[in-house]
Amino acid sequence: MRIILATNNKNKVREVGEILSPLGYEVISQSEAGVDIDVEENGVTFEENAFLKANAVHKLTNEPCIADDSGLQVDFLNGEPGVYSARYAEPGHRCQKVLDKLKGVEYDKRTARFVCCICYIGKDGQAKTFTGKCEGHIGLEKRGTNGFGYDPIFMVGDKSFAEISAEEKNKISHRADALRQFEEYLKGE
Ligand code: IMP
């Protein structure tokens, strides 16, 4: 069976494809399915945004679809940047904005988490959501050069997400957590 991933991000399609192909699913991008849309992510939760994307592609194709939405929640900032993670500041300035807002805040109070929500709409049109999390702290400065986005300021233990390998990150990340839950669900299907 094939599943359309509501994205044109090749890395996401590969990552999800690697996990689902042993279960007999072929993962293709929305453009490979002939869908050319850019869904406005105007939900106020990760769950809503993931549903908006999956539903838009499902409506056009009538095939099983998945979409994800993810971001960083900083407790001291009441959950900011949250669903605004991708548009919190100009590219290259997002980590610094978080660091500036936490200036003078002691380490214990810098708790944060990455969240990833996957929405799956199956053949029957039913939507299911799976929310993965990875708990950590916002560091005192940017560290490391691997990864992307907020990785240099997100600390798990004494290392930032930008200081560990992709392989290590894929074991503990919010995305891996959500994908594991989704995989368990599909195994039971
Ligand atoms: P989206 O889920 O593709 O809409 O991305 C949301 C935004 O959250 C990204 O642009 C990043 O800024 C941030 N983000 C999500 N996951 C990660 C991660 O694993 N590392 C760093 N930043 C992330």
Side-chain angles (χ1 to χ4, degrees):
M1 186 165 91
R2 69 178 201 171
I3 298 184
I4 303 166
L5 186 53
T7 183
N8 282 321
N9 182 325
K10 287 205 173 79
N11 288 322
K12 278 191 186 171
V13 177
R14 186 180 36 79
E15 186 184 337
V16 179
E18 279 168 7
I19 289 169
L20 300 189
S21 65
L23 302 178
Y25 292 88
E26 182 199 3
V27 177
I28 64 167
S29 68
Q30 62 178 54
S31 65
E32 285 171 309
V35 174
D36 179 23
I37 49 164
D38 196 10
V39 181
E40 205 188 329
E41 297 182 30
N42 54 12
V44 295
T45 61
F46 298 114
E47 284 80 3
E48 268 181 75
N49 279 338
F51 173 76
L52 285 172
K53 289 185 267 187
N55 193 46
V57 177
H58 178 72
K59 283 239 154 72
L60 289 170
T61 60
N62 217 17
E63 286 191 59
C65 290
I66 42 179
D68 77 331
D69 196 48
S70 59
L72 177 70
Q73 288 178 334
V74 180
D75 292 326
F76 192 82
L77 303 178
N78 299 315
E80 261 186 49
V83 289
Y84 303 104
S85 292
R87 19 178 183 147
Y88 196 49
E90 290 304 311
H93 298 274
R94 293 177 192 139
C95 287
Q96 195 55 49
K97 182 167 174 182
V98 175
L99 290 177
D100 289 347
K101 287 201 168 201
L102 292 182
K103 215 171 211 148
V105 177
E106 64 188 78
Y107 198 74
D108 284 356
K109 296 207 171 98
R110 298 168 79 99
T111 50
R113 72 201 52 77
F114 272 125
V115 180
C116 174
C117 182
I118 292 177
C119 177
Y120 172 65
I121 302 186
K123 263 206 172 109
D124 57 2
Q126 291 282 332
K128 284 250 158 213
T129 51
F130 308 89
T131 302
K133 292 185 180 167
C134 180
E135 301 285 341
H137 282 82
I138 300 301
L140 299 171
E141 65 203 348
K142 289 186 238 176
R143 283 171 57 167
T145 52
N146 301 334
F148 69 100
Y150 298 92
D151 283 347
I153 58 167
F154 188 75
M155 307 292 295
V156 175
D158 59 357
K159 285 202 172 132
S160 83
F161 257 13
E163 290 179 307
I164 61 175
S165 66
E167 203 185 9
E168 282 175 285
K169 183 179 163 186
N170 285 342
K171 283 188 198 146
I172 59 171
S173 82
H174 48 314
R175 205 163 290 104
D177 183 21
L179 277 169
R180 262 193 300 270
Q181 295 174 39
F182 178 46
E183 190 183 355
E184 283 309 309
Y185 168 77
L186 283 181
K187 278 183 185 162
E189 275 286 88

